[in-house]
Amino acid sequence: MIVVLIGYMGSGKSTIGKELATVLNYSFLDLDDYISDKENASISELFKTKGEIYFRKKESQYLNALLDSSKDLVLALGGGTPCYGNNSDVLLNNLNVKAFYLKLSIPLLATRLFNEREKRPLISHLKSEEDLLEFVGKHLFERVQYYHKAEYTINTDLKSRQDVLEEIVTDLI
Ligand code: S3P
């Protein structure tokens, strides 16, 4: 089985994913880290030197390759992965995939992301927390239709990491 974690930047996909993999005794992969390794460049460098379209093509290509692997895996996607090309169909149509949308409210996302925006090319240009709040609001409005295609949605706002993990594990059994 491949447990796929979907959600906006800063929603905790990698943090939760690593812990979930330990609980399930599965391998863990972060799609961004995988792309960086394969392309020998950070995500910011890839955006800067090759552009977003190149990144989206590689993202799709590596997603497909990973979904073809037969081993048990927890896979944290990038925030944009389900929103481009036919990625959401590829995820939906794969019988080995269980997809979870980690949902977090816009103010919490903006607060979390503000201090980490440098390493995220889509938001690194935003100067104030208000600008970021507005950006996240609009961006999420465009993306939420793709996130909601996941079989499960976990509202993480008022939950501890342990609660989120337990909810996912319960949904899996
Ligand atoms: C992106 C999210 C990032 C990374 C890239 C683009 C997006 O991943 O893939 O910067 O389009 O939302 P995280 O969600 O892991 O930050």
Side-chain angles (χ1 to χ4, degrees), residues 3-80:
V3 181
V4 172
L5 301 183
I6 287 171
Y8 201 71
M9 293 178 266
S11 58
K13 303 177 295 280
S14 303
T15 314
I16 300 281
K18 274 182 206 146
E19 293 185 16
L20 181 64
T22 306
V23 172
L24 297 173
N25 203 15
Y26 280 17
S27 304
F28 171 75
L29 269 179
D30 175 289
L31 184 58
D32 281 338
D33 291 346
Y34 189 80
I35 297 169
S36 283
D37 278 359
K38 293 282 178 192
E39 297 290 310
N40 267 316
S42 72
I43 301 299
S44 296
E45 280 162 4
L46 279 177
F47 267 69
K48 212 180 285 170
T49 58
K50 308 253 174 118
E52 182 171 354
I53 294 174
Y54 177 86
F55 172 78
R56 296 301 174 194
K57 279 192 187 149
K58 289 292 157 187
E59 181 179 48
S60 206
Q61 182 186 314
Y62 291 127
L63 172 69
N64 277 282
L66 288 171
L67 294 183
D68 281 345
S69 85
S70 55
K71 66 178 191 173
D72 288 333
L73 182 68
V74 175
L75 177 64
L77 300 187

Side-chain angles (χ1 to χ4, degrees), residues 2 64 67-69 89-98:
I2 305 180
N64 277 282
L67 294 183
D68 281 345
S69 85
D89 291 333
V90 163
L91 288 164
L92 275 179
N93 295 334
N94 188 317
L95 297 176
N96 296 324
V97 167
K98 290 261 178 227

Side-chain angles (χ1 to χ4, degrees), residues 133-152:
L133 192 70
E134 194 185 330
F135 179 91
V136 173
K138 287 184 183 156
H139 208 197
L140 202 56
F141 181 72
E142 290 163 11
R143 286 182 165 188
V144 81
Q145 53 176 318
Y146 298 99
Y147 295 159
H148 275 302
K149 290 187 181 183
E151 190 175 349
Y152 304 96

